[in-house]
Amino acid sequence: MYDSTIMWNSFWRSRDRFSLDQLRYLTDQLTKVQVVNEVNKDFVIEALRSIAELMTYGDQHDPSYFEYFMEKQVMGEFVRILKLSKTVSVPLQLLQTVSILVQNLRNEHAIYYLFSNEHINYLITYSFDFQNEELLSYYISFLRAISGKLNKNTVSLLVKIRGDEVVSFPLYVEAIRFAFHEENMVRTAVRAVTLNVYHVGDDSVNRYISSVPHKDYFSNLISFFRKQSIDLNKLVSHTLINPGPDSTSTIIAAIDEIEDNLYYVSDIVSAGIPDVGRLITDSILTVLIFPLLLPSLRIAIDNDNDIQSGVVTSLYLLCCILRIIKIKDLANTIAAALFYPSEAFTKSFGGKFNSHISDYGFPSEYLVSNNHNLTKSDIRHSMFNVPHSSSSSGFHPEGVLMQNDCSNSNLSLRDVLLAYVTKGDDIQVLGSLSVLATLLKTKELDESMLDGLGILPQRKQHKKLLLQALVGESSGEEELFSSKSSLTRDSTGSDIDVYHDKIKDRYGISCQSSVVGNSPHVNRFQVIDALVNLFCRSNISAVTLWEGGWLLRRLLPYSESEFNSHHLELLKQVSALIQVSYNNCAAALVEEVKGIWTDFLISVLCDEWRKCKRAMESSSPPKEPNCVLLLPHPHYKFSLEDDTPKGSSFAVGERMQELVKVFVLLHQLQLFTLGRALPEQPPIDPTGDLPTNRRAQTSGLDASGPKAGTEISLAVNAVPCRIAFKSGKEHHFCFRAISLGISGWLVLAEELPSQKSHGIVRVTAPLAGCDPRIDDKHSTWLHLRIRSSSLPFLDPAKSNDYGRIKTKSLVDGRWTLAFRDEQSCNSALAMIVEEINILSDEVHRRLKPLLNLETAIDLSSTDLCVTEDSSNRILPKSL
């Protein structure tokens, strides 16, 4: 055996490290190695590492390096060394060396040489000990490096071909063995390998990967995704029962993994391999959509958490699939399936998956329960009661009501979504709206499918009818100038029937859907009615209502050219129904004028007005679908009738913001339905000339208000008092309450020794929300609540992405002022009450134009000439 000591001595003798001589020497030494063991493994490892460095250097500076590499068949030596190795460390270095060579060689001929013999395939198929995690990591990196060099020329060097067909492709086959490995880094690397293969664009390779047994990878991929979906649902169900401090972060991590997987599927589809797209479509439908997600969309009974979570998770996953995976056939098949009741999928798939799913929170029996919370009469009651004035009006009461005899068990899934909107809890409403909005935004969906669902945007509908009229199609011309302004049942229903036939013939699911028999404008009225009923509910959060507002704006007419008598009647009814909720909300807002945060009310209103306007006019819904899983549920409720929380002003501030959000939305919807432009700012009175405030005037303050260290007049109304901010350390101050415009302060000032009528401001606090109260036992003590000078949720640093304050331990401060006598204490109390009333009156004065809807409408009226790209849509004054 060759002496390893001689090896090392020779290795370190004086020689240029990056010379061709060094490469010759290392190669020569490797050829002399007859066994690799603990004695010489370090030399072999260092030689392999150095050869990688030398070859990278030579590729950039001297082609003779690679010529020598080829001449001496060094790749063959690498394979021989691997066979001789008895340790793990040498294979590790060998894989790293070859990976470095493949990644860093830029010469095309060099890459062709590496791939042109069977050495690379030998390394790919070699039986490494993958129990060693480090070795597996190096091996996967090796496969990824090779895949990065694939193109139509190089791929042919790594496959075996018989005739015109690929019969062996070790790189792909070995990579997908680890596609579902427990380590995320391994799975990520395998996905990179497969995507590099798919995007080569070689027809023979494409046929190979979509043939038996390799095509099973795609169905296995969707099965793996199904398991992740079930795990996500289990996590959501657990969070509903036992929410914890880490619940949100845990769900976000699961969501990220779910969406990463879908984007991977989307990347596969984007490679444009027809057979693969069909395989993925079939797998998604038969493994996930039909047996699991659609049957879960059923009316929950007795607020069962498992079923509740199954509904929420299914709604979210449907949105994700439609939004991320761009397959026309898949999108339209899912949409067509919404016309079926869940029973249709139970009969075909229920028995096959129940035993597996039931343990993870999804319903084990996909039968719609006979829940009387959502009855036929409820659904009928929620529909427009439209007077049938004439045959040309477009209103047909019998068409607006459900056509089918709808007991719960035969409600179509579309009807279930609308039932959630009108009767479901906050998260079910948001989830259903997210599905409808996602369908509306799915470009792969046929317009006839959207029209059949009742969610074709009015603008798209008008353009389509206009195009039909221009090309001389009589139906299009008639519909364009009729009051119905909707696609005909024949054109819409026939397109939907095509997909229903596909569902029956390909997947064995059949059902007679009576909803498809409705004319599209009837289905449209049902959706609009559900949305209007949503705005009449008081237990729905602003986040959800904004989502509904966005959808409603898409469905109503946008411009003068789209209006007719039917639209005017529709908008009039929408406005009348929303008016009740709007009035209740306005009344609650007036109460906030006297509330803890009255000094912030106008600024919050202006801020939310801009946000709401931007959200309503955006091309995308206000919230991402994952919001369905991240909002508090089911305890997070918003109600105008809720008692004001007494524990903390921060909770009251959050409630005030929520109220403002709802009021702003309803106000903007009212303006929209009444045909007025939406101004950039709410119609609030400007500052103007403030009424004379004696205390503010005599204090000598400017508009910025009192600040610590500034001088203030104490000549009028200042009341001496004592206060201890720390135990045993009492301070003597003069107290004043001052309001200026829509701001107000409690001021503690220290008298100037040289000028008793003036003092230096030492401490200030907000006047609003101070809740003054004389102590029951000590008539000279005045208790004041001291809230924050700002709203924490308006500061992004203090709030999370979902608007909730990060710190839950925020509490209000307290002052107890001690006065000389009872009269002084009562004087201070009266001063505070008077200044609070002045402040509230000024806020109310400025809000009057906004609270008076008729005044607001007049203020929002503008010229009818609107630029084509303007987001403000105006109802014409005359038709």
Side-chain angles (χ1 to χ4, degrees), residues 37 72 121 142 165 210 284 348 374 408 418 421 425 441 449 547 594 634 706 727 744 785 814 871:
N37 52 29
K72 295 300 181 179
N121 276 341
F142 165 64
E165 299 299 322
S210 57
I284 290 175
S348 298
L374 281 168
N408 284 333
L418 297 183
V421 173
D425 61 40
K441 291 291 295 178
M449 193 69 72
E547 196 84 5
K594 306 172 186 176
S727 178
R785 173 173 55 191
R814 297 285 172 181
S871 57

Side-chain angles (χ1 to χ4, degrees), residues 554-581:
R554 308 280 89 67
L555 300 182
L556 294 178
Y558 267 40
S559 64
E560 180 176 351
S561 61
E562 297 170 4
F563 280 88
N564 54 37
S565 60
H566 151 67
H567 294 135
L568 288 173
E569 192 170 356
L570 174 63
L571 291 174
K572 183 179 179 181
Q573 291 181 68
V574 171
S575 177
L577 287 170
I578 295 177
Q579 182 71 43
V580 176
S581 292

Side-chain angles (χ1 to χ4, degrees), residues 25-235:
Y25 169 74
L26 292 174
T27 303
D28 181 60
Q29 294 301 314
L30 280 182
T31 60
K32 296 177 181 179
V33 173
Q34 299 302 314
V35 65
V36 179
N37 52 29
E38 294 295 327
V39 177
N40 65 351
K41 69 174 183 178
D42 291 337
F43 168 78
V44 173
I45 291 170
E46 186 62 28
L48 292 172
R49 188 192 62 79
S50 298
I51 288 174
E53 290 183 349
L54 285 164
M55 293 306 302
T56 302
Y57 173 84
D59 183 67
Q60 300 173 13
H61 298 91
D62 188 350
S64 62
Y65 281 63
F66 199 78
E67 291 173 3
Y68 180 81
F69 186 87
M70 290 188 295
E71 178 186 344
K72 295 300 181 179
Q73 298 185 15
V74 179
M75 279 297 296
E77 283 300 313
F78 288 170
V79 171
R80 188 181 67 86
I81 291 295
L82 178 63
K83 293 177 180 178
L84 294 174
S85 176
K86 304 298 183 184
T87 64
V88 173
S89 53
V90 171
L92 281 173
Q93 183 57 57
L94 181 61
L95 288 171
Q96 185 181 47
T97 294
V98 179
S99 297
I100 292 172
L101 286 175
V102 172
Q103 284 177 314
N104 293 290
L105 292 181
R106 294 179 296 183
N107 186 297
E108 279 190 36
H109 297 295
I111 295 297
Y112 291 159
Y113 170 78
L114 289 179
F115 289 4
S116 63
N117 53 58
E118 283 298 307
H119 296 316
I120 290 290
N121 276 341
Y122 180 85
L123 293 176
I124 291 173
T125 56
Y126 186 79
S127 298
F128 292 102
D129 180 13
F130 292 126
Q131 297 299 317
N132 186 301
E133 294 182 2
E134 187 179 11
L135 183 58
L136 175 60
S137 176
Y138 276 72
Y139 176 76
I140 296 298
S141 297
F142 165 64
L143 298 184
R144 186 171 186 171
I146 296 169
S147 71
K149 297 294 183 178
L150 290 180
N151 55 46
K152 287 189 176 182
N153 295 320
T154 57
V155 73
S156 61
L157 304 175
L158 296 174
V159 300
K160 289 183 179 179
I161 298 177
R162 186 177 301 148
D164 293 330
E165 299 299 322
V166 174
V167 295
S168 176
F169 192 1
L171 173 65
Y172 180 75
V173 171
E174 295 302 318
I176 62 176
R177 284 178 55 201
F178 301 95
F180 309 112
H181 194 271
E182 60 185 9
E183 283 293 329
N184 185 55
M185 294 297 291
V186 173
R187 297 198 303 270
T188 301
V190 169
R191 290 174 184 179
V193 173
T194 57
L195 290 176
N196 287 333
V197 170
Y198 302 146
H199 284 272
V200 167
D202 184 275
D203 291 339
S204 60
V205 171
N206 290 345
R207 289 193 297 272
Y208 176 80
I209 63 178
S210 57
S211 65
V212 178
H214 313 295
K215 70 175 184 179
D216 291 343
Y217 170 65
F218 302 107
S219 59
N220 291 338
L221 179 64
I222 304 305
S223 294
F224 179 75
F225 181 77
R226 184 191 68 191
K227 180 184 180 302
Q228 289 184 312
S229 301
I230 293 171
D231 290 343
L232 173 65
N233 184 69
K234 185 179 180 181
L235 178 62

